[in-house]
């Protein structure tokens, strides 16, 4: 029996169980989908003042990438990020007007649903608070199509991108031209980003699809499968990293932001099929995709060469320091996980960075349950020489532990 | 038994066999020194010689016949789970590994996840204590 292989298998089981504890159910994704579809229907209803602009709603952010994690705090909520796009141009309407048009309909929606809280206006979004047991709130981002203008902008700056399709113009109430017509709007491309993210894991997604009887029975092409149902190791690692970050930073302003974590992880992912391999390799290599440009750090948006996800690092140098400190903590925690000796007590300590106290115990409990199931089925083996339990050696025969109850 | 385990001591007197060896239940675990005392026609007695086992908070060790001597209960007596025709190496040794695995997990979680029965009650414990 190769000890190294058994060790790796055990670490892999632990990481797999840890991920399962962080993950949300498909039902939760479906619930989110129902919510933004309901908003879409409202925007397009016959009495809607924006019906004539062919309103479209689509999801973005972690619900759009399949990387949502359970909220870390007890009263934490799920953030659904949705784009609301109207078929208007920057000549027809100012950012302020668009924000108002959509805001009015959103406010009407909240009243129609009997929501206790009024929608909140943010710098770029309207936030709907659902105050029910679902613990959702939805950030709706008003936008207009912006492909042409974006392409022109890139040409002007002498750069190009393969991902200009689906570029949108968004509103920002701190911009000086916020109330003017015929000006350049801030640009974004969440659909493009999702497309890029998917392309980084396409081979892994294809393999998972091909091996899944359930998925192949329900869908003809892998492209038809909702992104949250595929769950590649990349998606799972992003979830684990976000949770590690949450444990370390809570709500602090200087925490590494999710778009940076997601983008760097997606760059580093090599389509590993095994979650432990993916975790180890991504943590090792993710910082390599941070560029140095004339003394400033650049994490370029893969679908917009003009956007730097690390631009705030110049304004707030602490954030750059914190990113690298978080990286070091990640490396150390991986090292601890992979080289534990001294039993499960030690493993529990070494899992703290990735899991926290309560979750760590829960993970080990579930691991114990899995081992018991294996033993009951007769698939647990005890290796010759060391007695190590795993997949080689003598089968552990059926037996019942007996003897005194553990008391005080 | 002799050829089965390395680093072990094997001692046979007339109808009494003692075996001492090191077992590690999982790749991350430390080594435990165990002793199997087998008297012909009697049930084997299994002890953890080293280390002195820690306990969860202030509880006592579960599934042992004797706390101080650290003698393990691995199977139901007279249930047929073990009888004298069985090969110790193939039955008891793997059970010790399993006991040690669940012991280590009990130390962290306070739950005995290996299932089992207690003599006072006939209630079967499933996932937890």
């Amino acid at each position: 029996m190769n000890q190294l292989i058994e060790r790796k298998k055990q670490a892999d089981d632990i990481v797999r169980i840890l991920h399962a504890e962080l993950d949300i159910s498909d039902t939760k994704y479906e619930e989110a989908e129902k919510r933004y579809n309901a908003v879409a229907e409202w925007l397009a209803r016959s009495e809607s003042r924006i019906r004539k602009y062919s309103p479209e709603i689509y999801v973005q952010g972690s619900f759009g990438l399949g990387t949502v994690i359970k909220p870390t705090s007890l009263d934490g909520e799920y953030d659904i990020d949705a784009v609301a796009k109207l078929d208007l141009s920057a000549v027809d309407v100012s950012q302020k007007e668009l924000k108002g048009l959509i805001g009015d309909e959103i406010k009407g929606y909240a009243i129609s649903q009997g929501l206790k809280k009024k929608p909140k206006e943010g710098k770029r979004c309207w936030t709907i608070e659902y105050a029910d047991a679902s613990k959702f709130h939805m950030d709706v981002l008003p936008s207009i199509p912006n492909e042409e203008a974006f392409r022109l902008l890139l040409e002007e700056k002498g750069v190009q991108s393969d991902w200009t399709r689906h570029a949108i113009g968004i509103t920002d109430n701190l911009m000086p031209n916020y109330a003017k017509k015929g000006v350049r709007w801030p640009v974004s491309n969440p659909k493009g980003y999702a497309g890029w993210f998917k392309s980084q894991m396409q081979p892994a997604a294809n393999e998972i699809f091909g091996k899944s009887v359930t998925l192949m029975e329900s869908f003809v092409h892998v492209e038809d499968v909702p992104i949250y149902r595929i769950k590649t190791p990349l998606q799972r690692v992003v979830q684990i990293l976000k949770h590690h970050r949450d444990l370390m930073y809570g709500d602090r302003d200087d925490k590494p932001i999710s778009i940076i974590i997601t983008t760097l992880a997606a760059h580093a992912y090599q389509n590993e099929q095994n979650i432990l391999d993916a975790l180890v390799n991504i943590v090792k290599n993710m910082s390599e995709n941070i560029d140095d440009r004339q003394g400033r750090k650049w994490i370029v948006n893969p679908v917009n060469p003009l956007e730097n996800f690390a631009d705030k690092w110049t304004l707030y140098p602490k954030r750059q320091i914190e990113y690298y400190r978080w990286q070091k903590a990640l490396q150390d925690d991986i090292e601890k996980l992979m080289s534990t000796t001294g039993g499960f007590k030690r493993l529990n300590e070494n899992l703290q960075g990735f899991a926290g106290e309560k979750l760590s115990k829960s993970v080990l409990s579930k691991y114990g349950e899995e081992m018991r199931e294996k033993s009951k089925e007769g698939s647990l083996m005890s290796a010759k020489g060391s007695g190590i339990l795993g997949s080689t050696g003598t089968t552990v025969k059926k037996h019942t532990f007996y003897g005194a109850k553990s008391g005080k | 038994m002799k050829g089965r385990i390395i680093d072990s001591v094997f001692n046979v007197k007339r109808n009494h066999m003692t075996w001492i060896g090191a077992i590690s239940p999982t790749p991350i675990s430390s080594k435990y020194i165990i002793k199997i005392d087998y008297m012909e026609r009697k049930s084997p007695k299994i002890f953890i010689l080293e280390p002195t086992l820690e306990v969860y908070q202030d509880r006592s060790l579960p599934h042992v016949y004797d706390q101080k001597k650290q003698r393990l209960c691995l199977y139901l007596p007279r249930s047929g789970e073990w009888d004298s025709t069985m090969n110790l190496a193939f039955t008891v040794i793997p059970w010790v590994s399993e006991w040690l695995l669940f012991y280590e997990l009990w130390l962290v979680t306070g739950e005995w996840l290996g299932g089992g029965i207690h003599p006072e009650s006939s209630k079967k414990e499933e996932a937890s204590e």
Side-chain angles (χ1 to χ4, degrees):
Chain A
M1 179 218 66
N2 189 328
Q3 269 228 35
L4 217 59
I5 292 179
E6 288 296 330
R7 188 179 255 281
K8 190 160 176 282
K9 245 156 138 248
Q10 187 180 29
D12 191 57
D13 284 337
I14 300 284
V15 171
R16 174 181 46 83
I17 296 172
L18 169 66
H19 167 265
E21 295 286 290
L22 300 175
D23 204 5
I24 67 170
S25 63
D26 288 355
T27 317
K28 210 72 189 170
Y29 280 102
E30 286 157 19
E31 262 183 69
E33 202 171 332
K34 283 202 183 93
R35 305 268 165 153
Y36 58 79
N37 284 340
V39 175
E41 276 172 35
W42 178 264
L43 296 187
R45 77 200 190 286
S46 47
E47 302 88 7
S48 161
R49 283 165 59 210
I50 56 174
R51 179 183 156 87
K52 57 192 166 187
Y53 306 122
S54 313
E56 195 195 319
I57 292 237
Y58 55 85
V59 73
Q60 60 159 340
S62 52
F63 272 92
L65 301 176
T67 57
V68 180
I69 52 174
K70 288 199 182 112
T72 323
S73 61
L74 271 170
D75 48 357
E77 288 207 329
Y78 294 96
D79 279 317
I80 309 173
D81 293 305
V83 173
K85 193 171 86 163
L86 296 188
D87 203 2
L88 285 165
S89 86
V91 170
D92 306 322
V93 81
S94 71
Q95 293 168 53
K96 186 171 182 191
E97 282 168 331
L98 179 74
K99 185 95 176 285
L101 278 172
I102 293 199
D104 287 343
E105 298 304 321
I106 298 278
K107 286 174 194 162
Y109 177 72
I111 293 172
S112 79
Q113 294 293 301
L115 297 184
K116 260 185 285 173
K117 292 196 183 158
K118 275 168 70 183
K120 254 182 16 200
E121 184 174 2
K123 191 169 74 156
R124 299 177 172 188
C125 297
W126 287 100
T127 303
I128 304 174
E129 310 230 14
Y130 286 93
D132 59 11
S134 70
K135 296 203 193 169
F136 280 139
H137 65 255
M138 191 184 316
D139 287 331
V140 179
L141 181 76
S143 68
I144 57 174
N146 203 42
E147 249 172 79
E148 239 345 276
F150 182 53
R151 261 198 290 268
L152 285 172
L153 174 65
L154 291 183
E155 253 180 83
E156 237 178 77
K157 304 283 182 178
V159 291
Q160 76 100 25
S161 166
D162 295 327
W163 298 93
T164 57
R165 203 162 152 242
H166 304 302
I168 52 177
I170 60 177
T171 72
D172 184 333
N173 63 12
L174 293 181
M175 287 279 140
N177 290 334
Y178 181 62
K180 295 213 175 95
K181 288 193 191 169
V183 298
R184 223 168 222 170
W185 286 31
V187 82
S188 183
N189 194 350
K191 257 196 188 161
Y193 184 87
W196 172 81
F197 184 79
K198 280 187 206 158
S199 74
Q200 296 298 107
M201 62 185 195
Q202 197 61 57
N206 291 344
E207 227 190 294
I208 290 169
F209 180 68
K211 285 187 184 156
S212 164
V213 174
T214 329
L215 288 180
M216 297 218 321
E217 275 177 0
S218 320
F219 302 96
V220 179
H221 301 295
V222 63
E223 292 82 27
D224 304 323
V225 183
I227 196 170
Y228 57 84
R229 286 193 64 179
I230 301 258
K231 301 181 207 280
T232 63
L234 170 59
Q235 290 165 296
R236 298 182 196 232
V237 169
V238 169
Q239 289 172 286
I240 292 174
L241 295 182
K242 284 183 359 182
H243 185 255
H244 185 277
R245 182 264 329 256
D246 287 348
L247 284 176
M248 197 164 154
Y249 289 93
D251 269 321
R252 279 166 55 181
D253 274 335
D254 47 8
K255 68 184 181 192
I257 56 180
S258 296
I259 191 70
I260 286 183
I261 297 175
T262 307
T263 305
L264 292 178
H267 273 302
Y269 182 54
Q270 298 285 310
N271 281 286
E272 297 91 340
Q273 273 296 322
N274 172 280
I275 186 177
L276 181 66
D277 288 338
L279 180 63
V280 170
N281 293 338
I282 285 175
V283 170
K284 188 154 154 251
N285 298 315
M286 61 192 283
S287 300
E288 276 172 29
N289 296 286
I290 303 177
D291 291 327
D292 268 292
R293 296 188 194 178
Q294 289 137 348
R296 289 175 59 191
K297 296 286 186 188
W298 264 74
I299 299 170
V300 72
N301 180 345
V303 302
N304 182 358
L306 300 174
E307 184 176 6
N308 177 10
F309 287 142
D311 58 2
K312 294 237 161 53
W313 290 7
T314 315
L315 199 56
Y316 304 104
K318 182 130 198 295
R319 296 189 189 188
Q320 181 170 321
I321 295 173
E322 286 306 326
Y323 169 81
Y324 286 102
R325 197 169 75 86
W326 173 68
Q327 267 298 299
K328 176 96 194 359
L330 262 182
Q331 311 260 10
D332 289 345
D333 287 334
I334 295 262
E335 181 60 40
K336 280 186 195 165
L337 181 66
M338 300 296 282
S339 62
T340 304
T341 47
F344 282 95
K345 201 156 177 238
R346 192 52 50 80
L347 180 63
N348 183 48
E349 286 161 23
N350 291 349
L351 269 179
Q352 296 303 309
F354 280 111
E357 202 190 308
K358 197 162 153 251
L359 192 55
S360 186
K361 278 198 183 166
S362 184
V363 169
L364 293 181
S365 260
K366 295 237 153 62
Y367 179 79
E369 284 168 25
E370 279 191 9
M371 291 300 256
R372 168 136 165 81
E373 279 314 300
K374 282 204 177 111
S375 178
K376 273 161 118 177
E377 312 171 345
S379 56
L380 194 61
M381 317 276 178
S382 171
K384 259 207 271 205
S386 58
I388 289 186
L389 294 166
S391 47
T392 59
T394 311
T395 305
V396 180
K397 294 209 175 36
K398 187 171 182 300
H399 70 126
T400 312
F401 289 112
Y402 192 61
K405 202 174 161 75
S406 167
K408 296 229 168 118
Chain B
M1 281 261 304
K2 211 167 177 192
R4 313 264 174 228
I5 323 275
I6 17 177
D7 295 338
S8 62
V9 173
F10 192 50
N11 196 322
V12 187
K13 285 186 229 176
R14 269 195 26 209
N15 54 357
H16 182 194
M17 186 209 81
T18 307
W19 173 90
I20 297 180
I23 282 194
S24 203
T26 77
I28 60 172
S29 301
S30 354
K31 280 195 158 65
Y32 299 84
I33 311 293
I34 72 166
K35 176 170 113 171
I36 301 184
D37 228 316
Y38 179 52
M39 193 91 100
E40 209 181 321
R41 283 200 290 269
K42 295 240 172 97
S43 315
K45 294 191 181 158
I46 303 105
F47 302 88
I48 308 279
L49 293 185
E50 269 173 47
T52 305
L53 300 175
E54 291 174 72
V55 289
Y56 179 77
Q57 296 178 354
D58 49 354
R59 305 238 204 108
S60 53
L61 289 174
H63 297 295
V64 292
Y65 283 114
D66 187 315
Q67 291 285 321
K68 264 194 90 191
K69 290 191 189 156
Q70 302 187 151
R71 186 186 151 205
L72 311 184
C73 313
L74 300 176
Y75 57 88
L76 283 177
R78 299 175 296 278
S79 66
E81 283 179 348
W82 188 86
D83 68 53
S84 53
T85 64
M86 293 184 190
N87 188 314
L88 281 171
F90 286 137
T91 33
V92 173
I93 305 279
W95 289 348
V96 178
S97 279
E98 234 199 14
W99 190 99
L100 287 168
L101 165 71
F102 291 116
Y103 156 72
E104 286 196 2
L105 290 171
W106 171 82
L107 209 55
V108 173
T109 64
E111 284 179 88
W112 182 265
L113 297 153
I117 292 185
H118 303 294
E120 306 87 49
S121 61
S122 46
K123 257 197 326 183
K124 236 190 166 168
E125 61 173 329
E126 271 311 310
S128 51
E129 283 252 314

